[in-house]
Amino acid sequence: MAVVHQTTMQPTKLELLTEWLPTREWHAGGQARPERVGGFRLDDPAGEVGIEFMAVTDGEGDGATTHLVPLTYRGEPLDGAEHALVGTSEHGVLGKRWIYDGTHDPVLVGQLYALLTGRAQAQAQSLSDVPDLTVAVSPLTVEGAADAAGAEFVRVEDGPDHTDVVLRTPGTPAALTLRVRRVLHAGTDLDPGVAGVTAEWRLPDGTSVRGVFAAEVTGLGV
């Protein structure tokens, strides 16, 4: 179980995202002024890596865009992931933390796979050991899958409004592609028979909406 500490981070997550978001090809708009408007967490079974799916909104009114930013928080650098580093921050309890674009972190990818195969539970974003029952999962059926650790991380590909994470899973020769939506759209839902995750976020006027955060993509191989 991950413990959510009520403490400070310097710089804050949003300060780091203000600099990082405009460097992403899927970021819509100019200068970023992100505001956290929703999301959820997943637990790392080893208790070492913080995992958060954060929804942030840029802009105001009809011009506002909500981005999904999966993040991981580590006590040490992740080998080979320098390109995915969002930044470092001093945590008031845990000390220095390395913060990564979680789509490049095998721990987050493994736990997203676990969520889709019924082996993980979405957790509240700001509370410890509280399931987030607003997160809905259409399960992924993978014949012969033993556990989340058996999912082999293959590659990551950014698109104009999404990031595709390709992995191999136990018992299946074909690759599995999970599409993480980077630009969120209110009211979207999963197509029938498609595995994925839907969750909630807030619009600038305070209205709660929901849409697709991540989904299985068929027909894309390695």
Side-chain angles (χ1 to χ4, degrees):
M1 179 195 74
V3 176
V4 179
H5 298 280
Q6 303 302 323
T7 186
T8 60
M9 294 184 70
Q10 295 296 331
T12 68
K13 302 173 192 177
L14 293 180
E15 287 171 340
L16 291 174
L17 290 178
T18 297
E19 300 296 326
W20 182 78
L21 279 171
T23 68
R24 305 298 98 186
E25 68 175 277
W26 41 260
H27 178 256
Q31 182 178 358
R33 296 181 178 87
E35 176 186 353
R36 187 173 73 169
V37 294
F40 61 90
R41 288 180 175 264
L42 295 174
D43 283 342
D44 170 17
E48 296 294 329
V49 179
I51 303 171
E52 181 177 13
F53 286 75
M54 182 188 295
V56 297
T57 292
D58 279 345
E60 298 178 356
D62 294 339
T65 301
T66 303
H67 295 95
L68 177 61
V69 187
L71 298 171
T72 55
Y73 309 95
R74 289 175 166 267
E76 296 180 351
L78 174 60
D79 288 345
E82 296 82 3
H83 62 289
L85 182 68
V86 176
T88 60
S89 180
E90 193 68 25
H91 189 281
V93 175
L94 301 175
K96 188 173 183 178
R97 308 296 283 172
W98 282 258
I99 302 174
Y100 290 93
D101 176 352
T103 60
H104 294 260
D105 192 319
V107 173
L108 181 143
V109 173
Q111 288 311 105
L112 176 59
Y113 175 68
L115 179 67
L116 288 169
T117 52
R119 297 178 178 86
Q121 167 73 59
Q123 300 291 315
Q125 195 171 20
S126 301
L127 298 171
S128 300
D129 197 25
V130 176
D132 187 340
L133 301 181
T134 69
V135 177
V137 178
S138 178
L140 177 70
T141 301
V142 181
E143 184 179 354
D147 55 46
E152 179 189 354
F153 199 28
V154 177
R155 70 171 184 266
V156 179
E157 296 178 348
D158 280 331
D161 63 356
H162 62 268
T163 297
D164 284 341
V165 180
V166 182
L167 59 156
R168 291 191 182 279
T169 57
T172 58
L176 169 67
T177 300
L178 302 178
R179 176 161 292 177
V180 176
R181 297 292 181 182
R182 294 299 199 160
V183 178
L184 298 179
H185 296 284
T188 55
D189 206 349
L190 296 163
D191 292 334
V194 174
V197 179
T198 62
E200 295 184 352
W201 69 93
R202 298 183 309 280
L203 297 178
D205 65 4
T207 304
S208 290
V209 294
R210 67 183 302 114
V212 177
F213 274 40
E216 173 191 15
V217 178
T218 59
L220 297 179
V222 176

